[in-house]
Amino acid sequence: MSFSGTVKEELSMQKSRARHCQIAELSAIISMCGNVIIDSRDNYRLKICTENIAVVRKSFTLIRKAFNIRTDIAVRTNRGNGNISYLLAVKDPSEAQRILEAVKLRSDNGDIYEELSVVRNVVIQQSCCKRAFIRGAFLAGGSMSDPQKAYHFEIVCAAEAKAMQLRDIINSFDLDAKIVKRKKAYVVYLKEGTQIVDVLNVMEAHVALMNLENIRILKEMRNSVNRKVNCETANINKTVSAAVKQLEDIQYIKDTVGFEKLSEGLLEVALMRLQYPEATLKELGSLLTTPVGKSGVNHRLRKLSEIAEKVRENKEVHYD
C-alpha cells in the first residue's frame, strides 16, 4: 500500500466521539465525492461514489453513528481497466434530506448548493470540527507523495470557492496551504515536510506522522553525512591537487636551475616534499630538522611555487 493509502486507512479508523465532528467530517466527504439525485416528485437520494474503500467504510460509520441510518453499498468493476469502485447510497428520501440538512449542503428552501458547496457552512465553527472536516476532505479527495521521494500533500476540489474555503480552514492551524489550478480542478497543497507533519497532526493521523518523522530524520541524517563526505572529498581533492602542483614546481626548479641557490629552509621543505609526496603540511612540518607548523610549511611551499613561476617567465628570482 502507498504512503497515501496508509494515511487514509488510518484516518478511516479514526472515530470522532462528538456528533458535531462526525457531521463535519461527513459534510466534507459528501461535498468532495457525493451526488444528490432528485426525481420528478422532488424526492432526494444521496450517493457517495469512490474508488477508495476507506472512504466508504468511514461514510458508512459516520452515517450510522450520527443518524442511525443504514446504507446500501454496491461494488462495481470497470471492464475497461479492471478498477473497482464503490457506491454507498441512502435511498430513503426522508433520510437523505435529514443528512443533507444536518451537513448544511441543502438550503432552507430545499435547494442543493452548487457542486455541493460547503461555503459559509456552520458545521465547521469549532476547532475540533475543522480538524474533522480536513480529515474528511483528505479522505475523499486527497493524496500524498511517498516521503522517501518528495514532500507533497494535496486535496483536489471541483470548485474554486470550495478550494479557497478548505485552504482557509487548513491555514487556521498556522499552516501555509496554497491553491493551484490543474485542468478543471483546483488543488489545495502543501510542499514542505514540516507543514505536512503539522497537517497530519491536525487530522490526528498520529501513526503516519511518526512514520513521516522517522523518514525525515533518516533523510536529514543521510543528507548531513553526504554533505560531510562531499566536503571531505573536496578537501582531499584540493590537498592532492596542491601537492601535485608543489611537486611539479619543485621538480621544475630541480631540473632547470637546481637546488643550489635555495635557502636552507626552502631546500629542506623541497626535499621532504619530493620524499613524501602524500604527506600533509602538518606531517611535513614535523619531519623537518627544526619542526614548524602548517602555516610555516605552507609559506615555504608557496615561495617555491613563486620561484618556479619566475623561472618559467625568465624573471629575476630571489631564492631565500
Side-chain angles (χ1 to χ4, degrees):
M1 185 181 292
S2 66
F3 188 84
S4 184
T6 302
V7 175
K8 290 189 176 185
E9 190 67 23
E10 181 182 355
L11 294 178
S12 72
M13 305 301 290
Q14 177 69 251
K15 297 179 181 179
S16 301
R17 293 184 179 180
R19 186 172 185 269
H20 49 81
C21 291
Q22 296 168 2
I23 290 174
E25 188 168 357
L26 183 60
S27 175
I29 293 173
I30 296 173
S31 173
M32 301 297 289
C33 61
N35 188 22
V36 178
I37 296 94
I38 306 175
D39 63 20
S40 58
R41 298 179 180 179
D42 288 336
N43 290 324
Y44 290 77
R45 284 190 298 163
L46 174 62
K47 293 183 178 181
I48 295 175
C49 307
T50 178
E51 293 184 356
N52 193 323
I53 192 170
V55 178
V56 173
R57 185 188 303 125
K58 193 60 178 287
S59 302
F60 177 89
T61 302
L62 291 170
I63 292 173
R64 180 68 184 276
K65 283 185 171 294
F67 301 97
N68 195 28
I69 293 174
R70 288 187 173 274
T71 54
D72 296 322
I73 299 176
V75 181
R76 298 174 180 174
T77 302
N78 188 310
R79 294 182 180 179
N81 53 27
N83 289 343
I84 297 175
S85 60
Y86 304 91
L87 176 64
L88 181 147
V90 179
K91 296 180 179 180
D92 185 286
S94 62
E95 291 180 343
Q97 289 188 50
R98 185 153 62 94
I99 293 172
L100 291 171
E101 288 171 359
V103 298
K104 305 303 180 186
L105 296 174
R106 182 171 179 264
S107 70
D108 295 335
N109 297 326
D111 297 327
I112 301 298
Y113 290 117
E114 185 179 359
E115 296 178 329
L116 295 180
S117 173
V118 291
V119 177
R120 296 181 297 278
N121 198 330
V122 298
V123 302
I124 47 176
Q125 298 301 309
Q126 300 183 59
S127 177
C128 58
C129 294
K130 290 179 180 179
R131 291 174 182 270
F133 187 87
I134 296 169
R135 184 163 60 242
F138 180 77
L139 259 175
S143 64
M144 282 183 63
S145 60
D146 183 349
Q148 295 279 10
K149 301 176 181 178
Y151 298 124
H152 186 80
F153 170 100
E154 70 175 36
I155 300 175
V156 180
C157 301
E160 185 177 14
K162 191 180 298 185
M164 291 173 65
Q165 184 199 36
L166 182 58
R167 176 201 60 193
D168 293 342
I169 294 171
I170 292 174
N171 289 347
S172 70
F173 292 95
D174 295 325
L175 295 169
D176 188 26
K178 293 181 172 58
I179 298 173
V180 63
K181 188 174 182 181
R182 185 186 299 163
K183 296 181 179 178
K184 294 182 179 180
Y186 295 85
V187 181
V188 182
Y189 70 92
L190 295 165
K191 292 192 73 69
E192 293 183 11
T194 54
Q195 297 259 313
I196 295 174
V197 167
D198 289 342
V199 81
L200 287 175
N201 185 50
V202 167
M203 295 190 299
E204 299 177 289
H206 301 304
V207 175
L209 185 155
M210 293 304 299
N211 290 336
L212 178 56
E213 281 286 51
N214 288 337
I215 292 171
R216 288 182 66 228
I217 290 169
L218 288 174
K219 286 178 72 173
E220 288 175 5
M221 288 177 62
R222 193 181 301 119
N223 291 337
S224 177
V225 170
N226 287 339
R227 283 193 296 270
K228 289 180 180 178
V229 169
N230 292 338
C231 183
E232 290 175 2
T233 301
N235 288 337
I236 291 171
N237 291 336
K238 184 178 179 181
T239 301
V240 170
S241 298
V244 170
K245 179 67 167 57
Q246 292 159 9
L247 286 167
E248 290 176 351
D249 290 339
I250 292 169
Q251 191 64 48
Y252 183 76
I253 293 171
K254 181 180 180 181
D255 295 340
T256 54
V257 297
F259 288 161
E260 292 78 8
K261 295 181 181 181
L262 293 178
S263 66
E264 184 178 344
L266 293 180
L267 175 61
E268 189 176 14
V269 168
L271 292 174
M272 284 298 176
R273 174 51 85 195
L274 289 175
Q275 187 177 354
Y276 302 101
E278 297 180 358
T280 64
L281 297 183
K282 185 178 181 180
E283 290 169 343
L284 284 179
S286 65
L287 293 170
L288 299 177
T289 304
T290 303
V292 297
K294 289 170 57 178
S295 60
V297 174
N298 190 45
H299 174 74
R300 296 182 190 184
L301 289 170
R302 281 206 310 267
K303 183 64 178 176
L304 288 168
S305 293
E306 291 173 5
I307 292 172
E309 287 302 315
K310 288 182 178 180
V311 172
R312 290 187 182 100
E313 297 172 4
N314 295 318
K315 293 183 179 180
E316 184 179 354
V317 179
H318 297 284
Y319 293 93
D320 51 4

